[in-house]
Amino acid sequence: MDVLRPPLIKINGRIYRRNIIKEEHYRGEEEEDFSCMGPPEKEELSADEACDTYLIEQTDKGYRCAFDVPSVLYKYIIGKKGETRRRLEFDTKTSISIPKQGVEGQIVITGSHKAAVSSAVTRVEVLVESFRKKQPFTHFLSFPLNDPKIQEGFLRFKDEVLKQCSQDHGVEQSIFQNPAKLHLTIGTLALLNDMEVRKACEHLTEYFIKTERINLVTFYICLIIDKKKGKPLPLVVSGIEYMNDDPAMVDVLYAKVSVKDRSNKLQVIADQLVEHFVSAGLMVREWDRVKLHGTVMNTLFRKDSTVEDLGGQGRQTMNEREAFNARNILKNFGAYCFGEFELNTVLLSQRYSTDCTGYYTSAGSINLS
C-alpha cells in the first residue's frame, strides 16, 4: 500500500482514509487494524465532522448511541484479546458494549461528550464496512433460467457433450450445472443476518413497486413488462462462450441469453437493479455493467471422488479447481440453442441452498407478470 494514497472508504456519503497496520493473526485470519486519532478536545464537532448516521441520545450520565451490527463482525471490533475495543475506548474516551458472539443485537456506545460518542461511532462504522467487504457473499440476485423448456434443452446439451467430448481433458458429468438451478446472476450480496435479508427483500420490492413513480422503473414497466396485458419478457438462450483466454483451459462455460427482439432491455434492467442495491449499500459494484451469462459448466462443481468416499461433499475449492478442454465443445456446440422462454421473475436467493427447488425459494422473489 502507498502510505501517501491510502485506501478510501465511503460511508453514508462521507469518505474516510484507511490507515493499515499489520497485526498478529487473529482466529486464523490476518486482519487489518485502523489507526485513529483521538477525538477533539471540545465537546461539539464541526458540521462536517458530526455523526448523523445514528441518533445520539442525551442521558443522565452523558450521551448514548445504539446501532445494529451483524454478530459475525463483532470480532473485528473486539480485536485480539479485546485490544481493538480497548484502544477505541481509550482514544475516544467512551465505553463500547458488544453483545456475546453469535447473539444478534445492538452495539451501544456511551460517553460524557457527544463528540466522543460520535467519533467512536464513526470508527466502528469504518471497521465494520472494511471487514464487511471481506465476507464471502451469502445471497445473489438473479433471473431464473430453469424454465422446463430450457432445462430440457440443457439436458440434451449435456448428453451430447458427454457423448462427443468425454475424452477431452477434464470433461465429466459432475461439472455440469444442476438444471433446476440454471440462472443469470445479476449481482452478489453479503447479507449477514436475518434483518439484512429482510432489508434486501424490501429493496427488491421497492424497486418494482415504490419507485414506479420515477423514470427508472417507469422505463422498465413500460418497455419490459406491460402490466395491464401481463406480458413477460421473451428471451432466447442460444450459443455458448467461455470466461478465460485459453479454450483448452476453461473453468466456466456459459450460455448466452438475449431478448427475442434483439433489444438491450434485459441488460438495462440488470444494470438498474445493481445500481439500486449499490445505492442502498447492500451490494458492491464489481463492473461497470452486468455480464449476463447462464453458467452451464463450472469446474467448482467438480467432485473429488476420494473425498466423497470419505464422507465429504467432494466439491473443489478455488485453489484446487481443475480446468477442462473446451475446444471440441465450442467447435461442435458453439451455436447450440437451448430454447426460448418468457421471463417474469427476479429472485433474491441464498447461496448453496439445498432446497428441493434449488436456490430459488430461499429468500424471496418478485413476480413481474
Side-chain angles (χ1 to χ4, degrees), residues 206-348:
E206 176 186 290
Y207 178 77
F208 293 108
I209 299 176
K210 183 178 178 181
T211 57
E212 254 185 291
R213 298 186 297 272
I214 66 173
N215 291 335
L216 180 71
V217 180
T218 301
F219 175 83
Y220 175 76
I221 295 297
C222 293
L223 296 186
I224 310 299
I225 302 295
D226 185 335
K227 296 185 76 174
K228 292 181 180 179
K229 297 180 181 180
K231 291 182 180 179
L233 183 63
L235 299 182
V236 178
V237 185
S238 181
I240 57 172
E241 192 55 82
Y242 60 103
M243 285 289 192
N244 54 312
D245 298 328
D246 187 355
M249 295 289 289
V250 172
D251 283 316
V252 177
L253 194 72
Y254 63 91
K256 294 186 283 187
V257 181
S258 59
V259 182
K260 196 170 182 178
D261 64 7
R262 298 186 179 182
S263 69
N264 68 339
K265 296 172 185 176
L266 189 65
Q267 184 69 54
V268 167
I269 194 60
D271 291 339
Q272 291 175 349
L273 277 166
V274 168
E275 180 62 34
H276 183 72
F277 275 80
V278 169
S279 298
L282 292 169
M283 186 181 290
V284 176
R285 187 188 306 281
E286 297 183 47
W287 314 102
D288 292 338
R289 64 201 304 265
V290 178
K291 182 176 179 61
L292 293 170
H293 64 283
T295 298
V296 293
M297 298 173 71
N298 190 332
T299 56
L300 282 178
F301 301 155
R302 191 187 303 280
K303 293 182 179 179
D304 186 338
S305 58
T306 59
V307 175
E308 204 168 16
D309 291 342
L310 294 173
Q313 294 185 355
R315 284 292 181 95
Q316 293 194 334
T317 65
M318 289 288 289
N319 294 330
E320 298 171 340
R321 63 196 303 180
E322 176 192 351
F324 65 94
N325 187 344
R327 282 176 174 163
N328 287 327
I329 299 176
L330 292 164
K331 177 182 177 181
N332 298 337
F333 302 94
Y336 182 86
C337 183
F338 294 85
E340 301 178 6
F341 78 107
E342 295 184 327
L343 177 68
N344 64 358
T345 307
V346 177
L347 301 159
L348 176 64

Side-chain angles (χ1 to χ4, degrees), residues 84-281:
T84 301
R85 175 165 61 177
R86 283 196 298 272
R87 186 173 62 253
L88 285 169
E89 291 176 327
F90 177 81
D91 288 347
T92 60
K93 298 179 176 61
T94 59
S95 175
I96 302 174
S97 176
I98 302 173
K100 292 181 179 179
Q101 190 66 40
V103 177
E104 297 296 338
Q106 290 190 315
I107 287 180
V108 179
I109 300 178
T110 57
S112 301
H113 302 290
K114 186 175 181 180
V117 173
S118 180
S119 178
V121 169
T122 297
R123 294 173 203 196
V124 170
E125 282 188 292
V126 172
L127 281 168
V128 167
E129 290 303 313
S130 299
F131 287 110
R132 174 186 287 280
K133 293 177 181 179
K134 295 186 176 183
Q135 304 304 307
F137 79 88
T138 60
H139 293 74
F140 60 94
L141 205 62
S142 69
F143 298 122
L145 297 181
N146 60 344
D147 180 270
K149 295 187 289 292
I150 304 302
Q151 289 195 53
E152 184 179 342
F154 169 78
L155 290 173
R156 288 197 303 269
F157 168 79
K158 177 180 176 180
D159 289 343
E160 289 301 316
V161 168
L162 290 174
K163 284 179 183 177
Q164 300 181 34
C165 308
S166 60
Q167 300 303 313
D168 295 339
H169 177 77
V171 176
E172 48 101 0
Q173 184 169 333
S174 72
I175 65 174
F176 285 84
Q177 175 65 284
N178 180 335
K181 297 182 179 180
L182 290 167
H183 65 276
L184 288 176
T185 299
I186 300 169
T188 59
L189 307 91
L191 305 177
L192 305 180
N193 57 23
D194 291 341
M195 184 179 70
E196 293 191 351
V197 173
R198 288 194 297 272
K199 182 180 177 182
C201 289
E202 289 168 2
H203 276 279
L204 182 57
T205 304
E206 176 186 290
Y207 178 77
F208 293 108
I209 299 176
K210 183 178 178 181
T211 57
E212 254 185 291
R213 298 186 297 272
I214 66 173
N215 291 335
L216 180 71
V217 180
T218 301
F219 175 83
Y220 175 76
I221 295 297
C222 293
L223 296 186
I224 310 299
I225 302 295
D226 185 335
K227 296 185 76 174
K228 292 181 180 179
K229 297 180 181 180
K231 291 182 180 179
L233 183 63
L235 299 182
V236 178
V237 185
S238 181
I240 57 172
E241 192 55 82
Y242 60 103
M243 285 289 192
N244 54 312
D245 298 328
D246 187 355
M249 295 289 289
V250 172
D251 283 316
V252 177
L253 194 72
Y254 63 91
K256 294 186 283 187
V257 181
S258 59
V259 182
K260 196 170 182 178
D261 64 7
R262 298 186 179 182
S263 69
N264 68 339
K265 296 172 185 176
L266 189 65
Q267 184 69 54
V268 167
I269 194 60
D271 291 339
Q272 291 175 349
L273 277 166
V274 168
E275 180 62 34
H276 183 72
F277 275 80
V278 169
S279 298

